[in-house]
Amino acid sequence: MCDRKFPYEAELLKLEEGQEEVLIIGGRAFIVSPATEADIERIGKGFFCLD
């Protein structure tokens, strides 16, 4: 298994429900927040599990 962690993993794991962060990747901004069960159902495209 890979020893590398997702960038900013520790900071993202500290986010509580309702909190958001902005990540800039390749010049594009992304809003990141903890997903709720409703969010996962709403998106419906599946998800990535980075264990």
Side-chain angles (χ1 to χ4, degrees), residues 10-38:
E11 292 83 0
L12 293 174
L13 289 171
K14 292 178 188 174
L15 290 176
E16 296 185 19
E17 190 171 327
Q19 291 182 311
E20 299 176 323
E21 288 290 336
V22 177
L23 296 180
I24 308 282
I25 303 171
R28 294 183 60 193
F30 295 85
I31 305 296
V32 179
S33 64
T36 64
E37 291 293 326

Side-chain angles (χ1 to χ4, degrees), residues 36-45:
T36 64
E37 291 293 326
D39 291 329
I40 294 169
E41 287 183 31
R42 177 178 54 86
I43 298 298
K45 295 180 185 174

Side-chain angles (χ1 to χ4, degrees), residues 2-13:
C2 182
D3 291 332
R4 293 175 42 183
K5 290 189 174 192
F6 186 79
Y8 312 109
E9 178 178 337
E11 292 83 0
L12 293 174
L13 289 171

